[in-house]
Amino acid sequence: GLSSGAINEMANIFKYDIDFVEDVRDGDTFQVVYEELWRDGERVGTGDVIGATFTNRGKRYTAFSYARNGKTEYFDETGRPLKKVLMRIPIEFARLSSTFGMRKHPVLGRMRAHKGVDYAARSGTPIMAAGDGRIAFLGWKSGYGRAVIIDHGQGRSTLYGHMSSWGKAKQGQHVSQGSTIGYVGASGLATGPHLHYEFRIGGKQVNPLKVTMPKPEP
């Protein structure tokens, strides 16, 4: 009975911990408290999510809304923000099409290391900055096609490849987490529209689905 708006908001609240495309399983449960908007005795829509719990594969996650500095944010029961320094997945509701590790390259036809993860999505789907940072590179990068690299500081950076076009931000500019930096495409060595996403620590690619994301201060 939840509206699509409330479902999307709940998915956005928990997106730093749960991939709602790959992680959700039969048997998962959730509870959500949300506002209903009524006018003259008639329900006209849903408002904000006040609180929620989501049990995913036996692990329970909690979220409570709290207004801080005039902005509503979500916190767990220990008071730590759910929003992490870096998002695990910088695109909404995409299908994981290729994992991190060795694979047969779909274009070159030979085995080689795949040092990122691929998310298949429709051409033109917005790609978000995984975290606050500075655009260290924006341009054509050989097999990556149209690409963006964001420097997040402390030795962390992310790369986004095969874009159809870039967003409004230019090289050297600072971007905020969640802002649109480009759009899904198939530029460079790609067989179809998808995002190639790399997470780098000290310049070395690591699996973004396995790395422990840094937690913000409570």
Side-chain angles (χ1 to χ4, degrees), residues 72-149:
T72 298
E73 299 178 50
Y74 290 89
F75 300 82
D76 68 15
E77 55 210 353
T78 69
R80 196 178 290 276
L82 294 192
K83 181 179 179 180
K84 304 292 192 295
V85 175
L86 290 168
M87 293 161 56
R88 200 173 294 278
I89 301 163
I91 189 171
E92 286 191 352
F93 298 117
R95 178 176 62 84
L96 182 68
S97 55
S98 187
T99 55
F100 188 94
M102 291 299 294
R103 66 163 186 178
K104 185 176 181 180
H105 194 279
V107 177
L108 302 177
R110 63 174 184 265
M111 293 297 291
R112 62 185 289 182
H114 186 235
K115 296 186 177 181
V117 291
D118 290 346
Y119 291 101
R122 282 186 306 218
S123 190
T125 300
I127 298 166
M128 299 176 282
D132 297 346
R134 179 182 62 85
I135 295 182
F137 175 86
L138 186 150
W140 189 275
K141 191 172 177 64
S142 60
Y144 292 110
R146 292 183 188 87
V148 168
I149 297 175

